[in-house]
Amino acid sequence: MNWPLIKAILILPGTALIYVPVIVLWAAAGTSYSASLATPATASFWIAAVFAGCGLALAAWTVRLFARFGDGTPAPWNPPERLVVRGPYRHVRNPMITAVLLMLAGEALMLRSWPLAGWIVLFFAVNAVYFPLSEEKGLEGRFGHDYRAYKAHVPRWIPRLRPWDGA
């Protein structure tokens, strides 16, 4: 069992996808913003299922790449030892955040919750500030020229259509 990876998953996506949404839903309970579960008879149910399924698949793929090729986890306390530029990382620098955003969108749609939609916006805003100010500086320090070249060719949030070949 890979305890560092399990710990990272429980803390990082666990916070964004479970702990904070539970608090948001609890705070909205009994108000006009209370959640109401979508049913299979509604389009929001199926759209939510697609978003959540795509997000889960992308998250599993990216975490597996970090563990297998980076020898680390997504957690800042146990980062990958090698720069991972494979799979979705050839299209976008932060596919794990994209995965979490897709799963959060699935939650918000499945629970028909505007407060959860607000949490998506806040989660993205925090990451949009954190990545350039902290994460990317740390990656430049650890991987130097390789990361700077990667950063110059692969966008942070909007995926490039053609995968970067690293040349």
Side-chain angles (χ1 to χ4, degrees):
M1 182 181 316
N2 187 340
W3 175 243
L5 182 58
I6 292 169
K7 179 180 169 185
I9 290 169
L10 289 174
I11 293 172
L12 296 173
T15 298
L17 293 166
I18 299 168
Y19 314 132
V20 171
V22 165
I23 292 168
V24 168
L25 292 170
W26 174 79
T31 71
S32 60
Y33 295 106
S34 292
S36 68
L37 188 61
T39 66
T42 63
S44 64
F45 177 91
W46 297 105
I47 295 168
V50 168
F51 280 12
C54 289
L56 185 59
L58 181 58
W61 187 10
T62 58
V63 168
R64 189 172 34 250
L65 287 172
F66 261 41
R68 183 170 179 202
F69 298 104
D71 287 329
T73 72
W77 59 84
N78 186 22
E81 295 175 13
R82 291 188 298 278
L83 183 62
V84 177
V85 185
R86 296 172 177 262
Y89 290 97
R90 295 177 64 204
H91 296 271
V92 67
R93 293 197 314 257
N94 298 300
M96 284 187 197
I97 298 300
T98 302
V100 172
L101 290 168
L102 284 168
M103 288 186 279
L104 284 172
E107 283 183 7
L109 284 167
M110 186 64 73
L111 297 170
R112 298 179 186 178
S113 172
W114 283 108
L116 282 184
W119 166 233
I120 296 169
V121 172
L122 180 60
F123 176 79
F124 178 74
V126 167
N127 281 286
V129 171
Y130 169 76
F131 275 89
L133 294 180
S134 180
E135 176 95 0
E136 291 177 3
K137 289 180 183 190
L139 291 167
E140 283 184 32
R142 286 192 355 254
F143 301 116
H145 172 73
D146 290 342
Y147 183 74
R148 284 189 293 280
Y150 173 66
K151 184 175 153 181
H153 291 93
V154 178
R156 184 182 295 133
W157 301 116
I158 308 296
R160 55 183 283 149
L161 295 178
R162 289 194 180 130
W164 183 56
D165 63 7

PDB file of all heavy atoms in Angstrom, residues 37-61:
ATOM      1  N   LEU A  37     -31.311  16.654  -4.825  1.00  0.00           N
ATOM      2  CA  LEU A  37     -30.677  15.642  -5.657  1.00  0.00           C
ATOM      3  C   LEU A  37     -31.374  15.519  -7.016  1.00  0.00           C
ATOM      4  O   LEU A  37     -32.591  15.396  -7.093  1.00  0.00           O
ATOM      5  CB  LEU A  37     -30.714  14.297  -4.925  1.00  0.00           C
ATOM      6  CG  LEU A  37     -29.932  13.149  -5.542  1.00  0.00           C
ATOM      7  CD1 LEU A  37     -28.446  13.491  -5.624  1.00  0.00           C
ATOM      8  CD2 LEU A  37     -30.130  11.889  -4.719  1.00  0.00           C
ATOM      9  N   ALA A  38     -30.570  15.557  -8.077  1.00  0.00           N
ATOM     10  CA  ALA A  38     -31.102  15.354  -9.424  1.00  0.00           C
ATOM     11  C   ALA A  38     -31.485  13.886  -9.586  1.00  0.00           C
ATOM     12  O   ALA A  38     -30.901  13.007  -8.957  1.00  0.00           O
ATOM     13  CB  ALA A  38     -30.051  15.744 -10.459  1.00  0.00           C
ATOM     14  N   THR A  39     -32.452  13.633 -10.406  1.00  0.00           N
ATOM     15  CA  THR A  39     -32.891  12.260 -10.668  1.00  0.00           C
ATOM     16  C   THR A  39     -32.499  11.857 -12.084  1.00  0.00           C
ATOM     17  O   THR A  39     -32.254  12.729 -12.929  1.00  0.00           O
ATOM     18  CB  THR A  39     -34.418  12.135 -10.515  1.00  0.00           C
ATOM     19  OG1 THR A  39     -35.037  12.909 -11.550  1.00  0.00           O
ATOM     20  CG2 THR A  39     -34.886  12.610  -9.142  1.00  0.00           C
ATOM     21  N   PRO A  40     -32.454  10.567 -12.363  1.00  0.00           N
ATOM     22  CA  PRO A  40     -32.102  10.122 -13.715  1.00  0.00           C
ATOM     23  C   PRO A  40     -33.046  10.639 -14.804  1.00  0.00           C
ATOM     24  O   PRO A  40     -32.710  10.588 -15.979  1.00  0.00           O
ATOM     25  CB  PRO A  40     -32.170   8.591 -13.621  1.00  0.00           C
ATOM     26  CG  PRO A  40     -31.904   8.304 -12.179  1.00  0.00           C
ATOM     27  CD  PRO A  40     -32.540   9.443 -11.427  1.00  0.00           C
ATOM     28  N   ALA A  41     -34.186  11.165 -14.413  1.00  0.00           N
ATOM     29  CA  ALA A  41     -35.132  11.714 -15.398  1.00  0.00           C
ATOM     30  C   ALA A  41     -34.733  13.127 -15.844  1.00  0.00           C
ATOM     31  O   ALA A  41     -35.367  13.678 -16.743  1.00  0.00           O
ATOM     32  CB  ALA A  41     -36.543  11.733 -14.811  1.00  0.00           C
ATOM     33  N   THR A  42     -33.695  13.696 -15.240  1.00  0.00           N
ATOM     34  CA  THR A  42     -33.288  15.064 -15.575  1.00  0.00           C
ATOM     35  C   THR A  42     -31.957  15.073 -16.322  1.00  0.00           C
ATOM     36  O   THR A  42     -31.100  14.213 -16.118  1.00  0.00           O
ATOM     37  CB  THR A  42     -33.145  15.926 -14.306  1.00  0.00           C
ATOM     38  OG1 THR A  42     -32.113  15.380 -13.490  1.00  0.00           O
ATOM     39  CG2 THR A  42     -34.452  15.987 -13.530  1.00  0.00           C
ATOM     40  N   ALA A  43     -31.799  16.073 -17.171  1.00  0.00           N
ATOM     41  CA  ALA A  43     -30.548  16.217 -17.915  1.00  0.00           C
ATOM     42  C   ALA A  43     -29.379  16.506 -16.971  1.00  0.00           C
ATOM     43  O   ALA A  43     -28.259  16.030 -17.208  1.00  0.00           O
ATOM     44  CB  ALA A  43     -30.688  17.338 -18.942  1.00  0.00           C
ATOM     45  N   SER A  44     -29.626  17.268 -15.907  1.00  0.00           N
ATOM     46  CA  SER A  44     -28.529  17.609 -14.994  1.00  0.00           C
ATOM     47  C   SER A  44     -27.911  16.361 -14.362  1.00  0.00           C
ATOM     48  O   SER A  44     -26.708  16.324 -14.116  1.00  0.00           O
ATOM     49  CB  SER A  44     -28.987  18.589 -13.919  1.00  0.00           C
ATOM     50  OG  SER A  44     -29.963  18.024 -13.088  1.00  0.00           O
ATOM     51  N   PHE A  45     -28.704  15.335 -14.135  1.00  0.00           N
ATOM     52  CA  PHE A  45     -28.183  14.079 -13.583  1.00  0.00           C
ATOM     53  C   PHE A  45     -27.133  13.484 -14.521  1.00  0.00           C
ATOM     54  O   PHE A  45     -26.044  13.096 -14.104  1.00  0.00           O
ATOM     55  CB  PHE A  45     -29.335  13.090 -13.368  1.00  0.00           C
ATOM     56  CG  PHE A  45     -28.893  11.736 -12.869  1.00  0.00           C
ATOM     57  CD1 PHE A  45     -28.830  11.488 -11.510  1.00  0.00           C
ATOM     58  CD2 PHE A  45     -28.555  10.726 -13.766  1.00  0.00           C
ATOM     59  CE1 PHE A  45     -28.426  10.236 -11.043  1.00  0.00           C
ATOM     60  CE2 PHE A  45     -28.156   9.481 -13.310  1.00  0.00           C
ATOM     61  CZ  PHE A  45     -28.095   9.241 -11.945  1.00  0.00           C
ATOM     62  N   TRP A  46     -27.469  13.403 -15.806  1.00  0.00           N
ATOM     63  CA  TRP A  46     -26.583  12.762 -16.774  1.00  0.00           C
ATOM     64  C   TRP A  46     -25.375  13.624 -17.099  1.00  0.00           C
ATOM     65  O   TRP A  46     -24.271  13.100 -17.278  1.00  0.00           O
ATOM     66  CB  TRP A  46     -27.379  12.379 -18.024  1.00  0.00           C
ATOM     67  CG  TRP A  46     -28.421  11.369 -17.662  1.00  0.00           C
ATOM     68  CD1 TRP A  46     -29.763  11.573 -17.537  1.00  0.00           C
ATOM     69  CD2 TRP A  46     -28.181  10.015 -17.275  1.00  0.00           C
ATOM     70  NE1 TRP A  46     -30.386  10.423 -17.113  1.00  0.00           N
ATOM     71  CE2 TRP A  46     -29.432   9.445 -16.948  1.00  0.00           C
ATOM     72  CE3 TRP A  46     -27.048   9.225 -17.177  1.00  0.00           C
ATOM     73  CZ2 TRP A  46     -29.575   8.129 -16.550  1.00  0.00           C
ATOM     74  CZ3 TRP A  46     -27.185   7.906 -16.770  1.00  0.00           C
ATOM     75  CH2 TRP A  46     -28.428   7.375 -16.464  1.00  0.00           C
ATOM     76  N   ILE A  47     -25.571  14.921 -17.164  1.00  0.00           N
ATOM     77  CA  ILE A  47     -24.431  15.817 -17.376  1.00  0.00           C
ATOM     78  C   ILE A  47     -23.492  15.727 -16.179  1.00  0.00           C
ATOM     79  O   ILE A  47     -22.268  15.660 -16.338  1.00  0.00           O
ATOM     80  CB  ILE A  47     -24.912  17.266 -17.619  1.00  0.00           C
ATOM     81  CG1 ILE A  47     -25.701  17.337 -18.929  1.00  0.00           C
ATOM     82  CG2 ILE A  47     -23.737  18.230 -17.645  1.00  0.00           C
ATOM     83  CD1 ILE A  47     -26.465  18.637 -19.120  1.00  0.00           C
ATOM     84  N   ALA A  48     -24.065  15.696 -14.980  1.00  0.00           N
ATOM     85  CA  ALA A  48     -23.256  15.560 -13.764  1.00  0.00           C
ATOM     86  C   ALA A  48     -22.473  14.258 -13.778  1.00  0.00           C
ATOM     87  O   ALA A  48     -21.284  14.231 -13.424  1.00  0.00           O
ATOM     88  CB  ALA A  48     -24.159  15.618 -12.524  1.00  0.00           C
ATOM     89  N   ALA A  49     -23.117  13.183 -14.200  1.00  0.00           N
ATOM     90  CA  ALA A  49     -22.436  11.881 -14.245  1.00  0.00           C
ATOM     91  C   ALA A  49     -21.266  11.903 -15.229  1.00  0.00           C
ATOM     92  O   ALA A  49     -20.191  11.359 -14.936  1.00  0.00           O
ATOM     93  CB  ALA A  49     -23.435  10.794 -14.609  1.00  0.00           C
ATOM     94  N   VAL A  50     -21.455  12.544 -16.371  1.00  0.00           N
ATOM     95  CA  VAL A  50     -20.380  12.636 -17.367  1.00  0.00           C
ATOM     96  C   VAL A  50     -19.228  13.475 -16.804  1.00  0.00           C
ATOM     97  O   VAL A  50     -18.057  13.080 -16.895  1.00  0.00           O
ATOM     98  CB  VAL A  50     -20.901  13.221 -18.699  1.00  0.00           C
ATOM     99  CG1 VAL A  50     -19.754  13.586 -19.624  1.00  0.00           C
ATOM    100  CG2 VAL A  50     -21.839  12.229 -19.374  1.00  0.00           C
ATOM    101  N   PHE A  51     -19.537  14.643 -16.234  1.00  0.00           N
ATOM    102  CA  PHE A  51     -18.485  15.488 -15.661  1.00  0.00           C
ATOM    103  C   PHE A  51     -17.718  14.747 -14.568  1.00  0.00           C
ATOM    104  O   PHE A  51     -16.488  14.731 -14.559  1.00  0.00           O
ATOM    105  CB  PHE A  51     -19.078  16.770 -15.074  1.00  0.00           C
ATOM    106  CG  PHE A  51     -19.379  17.847 -16.077  1.00  0.00           C
ATOM    107  CD1 PHE A  51     -19.372  17.615 -17.438  1.00  0.00           C
ATOM    108  CD2 PHE A  51     -19.695  19.116 -15.651  1.00  0.00           C
ATOM    109  CE1 PHE A  51     -19.660  18.609 -18.352  1.00  0.00           C
ATOM    110  CE2 PHE A  51     -19.980  20.131 -16.543  1.00  0.00           C
ATOM    111  CZ  PHE A  51     -19.964  19.882 -17.903  1.00  0.00           C
ATOM    112  N   ALA A  52     -18.454  14.152 -13.646  1.00  0.00           N
ATOM    113  CA  ALA A  52     -17.805  13.457 -12.530  1.00  0.00           C
ATOM    114  C   ALA A  52     -16.991  12.269 -13.026  1.00  0.00           C
ATOM    115  O   ALA A  52     -15.860  12.046 -12.561  1.00  0.00           O
ATOM    116  CB  ALA A  52     -18.850  13.010 -11.509  1.00  0.00           C
ATOM    117  N   GLY A  53     -17.529  11.517 -13.963  1.00  0.00           N
ATOM    118  CA  GLY A  53     -16.800  10.366 -14.504  1.00  0.00           C
ATOM    119  C   GLY A  53     -15.532  10.776 -15.234  1.00  0.00           C
ATOM    120  O   GLY A  53     -14.472  10.166 -15.043  1.00  0.00           O
ATOM    121  N   CYS A  54     -15.623  11.808 -16.053  1.00  0.00           N
ATOM    122  CA  CYS A  54     -14.432  12.308 -16.759  1.00  0.00           C
ATOM    123  C   CYS A  54     -13.408  12.841 -15.766  1.00  0.00           C
ATOM    124  O   CYS A  54     -12.196  12.601 -15.909  1.00  0.00           O
ATOM    125  CB  CYS A  54     -14.816  13.392 -17.767  1.00  0.00           C
ATOM    126  SG  CYS A  54     -15.716  12.767 -19.199  1.00  0.00           S
ATOM    127  N   GLY A  55     -13.865  13.569 -14.771  1.00  0.00           N
ATOM    128  CA  GLY A  55     -12.960  14.097 -13.756  1.00  0.00           C
ATOM    129  C   GLY A  55     -12.264  12.994 -12.980  1.00  0.00           C
ATOM    130  O   GLY A  55     -11.059  13.051 -12.732  1.00  0.00           O
ATOM    131  N   LEU A  56     -13.019  11.967 -12.602  1.00  0.00           N
ATOM    132  CA  LEU A  56     -12.441  10.845 -11.861  1.00  0.00           C
ATOM    133  C   LEU A  56     -11.412  10.100 -12.710  1.00  0.00           C
ATOM    134  O   LEU A  56     -10.322   9.759 -12.226  1.00  0.00           O
ATOM    135  CB  LEU A  56     -13.546   9.898 -11.393  1.00  0.00           C
ATOM    136  CG  LEU A  56     -13.100   8.744 -10.505  1.00  0.00           C
ATOM    137  CD1 LEU A  56     -12.431   9.255  -9.228  1.00  0.00           C
ATOM    138  CD2 LEU A  56     -14.297   7.872 -10.162  1.00  0.00           C
ATOM    139  N   ALA A  57     -11.729   9.867 -13.974  1.00  0.00           N
ATOM    140  CA  ALA A  57     -10.787   9.175 -14.863  1.00  0.00           C
ATOM    141  C   ALA A  57      -9.511  10.001 -15.047  1.00  0.00           C
ATOM    142  O   ALA A  57      -8.395   9.458 -14.993  1.00  0.00           O
ATOM    143  CB  ALA A  57     -11.446   8.902 -16.212  1.00  0.00           C
ATOM    144  N   LEU A  58      -9.664  11.307 -15.249  1.00  0.00           N
ATOM    145  CA  LEU A  58      -8.504  12.177 -15.415  1.00  0.00           C
ATOM    146  C   LEU A  58      -7.671  12.218 -14.137  1.00  0.00           C
ATOM    147  O   LEU A  58      -6.436  12.161 -14.187  1.00  0.00           O
ATOM    148  CB  LEU A  58      -8.950  13.585 -15.827  1.00  0.00           C
ATOM    149  CG  LEU A  58      -7.852  14.610 -16.073  1.00  0.00           C
ATOM    150  CD1 LEU A  58      -6.880  14.154 -17.154  1.00  0.00           C
ATOM    151  CD2 LEU A  58      -8.483  15.964 -16.444  1.00  0.00           C
ATOM    152  N   ALA A  59      -8.324  12.294 -12.994  1.00  0.00           N
ATOM    153  CA  ALA A  59      -7.601  12.308 -11.717  1.00  0.00           C
ATOM    154  C   ALA A  59      -6.808  11.020 -11.528  1.00  0.00           C
ATOM    155  O   ALA A  59      -5.628  11.050 -11.141  1.00  0.00           O
ATOM    156  CB  ALA A  59      -8.579  12.507 -10.560  1.00  0.00           C
ATOM    157  N   ALA A  60      -7.437   9.883 -11.797  1.00  0.00           N
ATOM    158  CA  ALA A  60      -6.743   8.599 -11.640  1.00  0.00           C
ATOM    159  C   ALA A  60      -5.540   8.516 -12.576  1.00  0.00           C
ATOM    160  O   ALA A  60      -4.458   8.060 -12.180  1.00  0.00           O
ATOM    161  CB  ALA A  60      -7.712   7.450 -11.905  1.00  0.00           C
ATOM    162  N   TRP A  61      -5.720   8.974 -13.798  1.00  0.00           N
ATOM    163  CA  TRP A  61      -4.640   8.941 -14.788  1.00  0.00           C
ATOM    164  C   TRP A  61      -3.463   9.801 -14.330  1.00  0.00           C
ATOM    165  O   TRP A  61      -2.312   9.368 -14.353  1.00  0.00           O
ATOM    166  CB  TRP A  61      -5.188   9.421 -16.118  1.00  0.00           C
ATOM    167  CG  TRP A  61      -4.277   9.301 -17.309  1.00  0.00           C
ATOM    168  CD1 TRP A  61      -3.084   8.641 -17.397  1.00  0.00           C
ATOM    169  CD2 TRP A  61      -4.508   9.863 -18.594  1.00  0.00           C
ATOM    170  NE1 TRP A  61      -2.562   8.759 -18.657  1.00  0.00           N
ATOM    171  CE2 TRP A  61      -3.423   9.507 -19.420  1.00  0.00           C
ATOM    172  CE3 TRP A  61      -5.527  10.626 -19.134  1.00  0.00           C
ATOM    173  CZ2 TRP A  61      -3.325   9.889 -20.759  1.00  0.00           C
ATOM    174  CZ3 TRP A  61      -5.439  11.007 -20.461  1.00  0.00           C
ATOM    175  CH2 TRP A  61      -4.349  10.642 -21.262  1.00  0.00           C
TER     176      TRP A  61
END
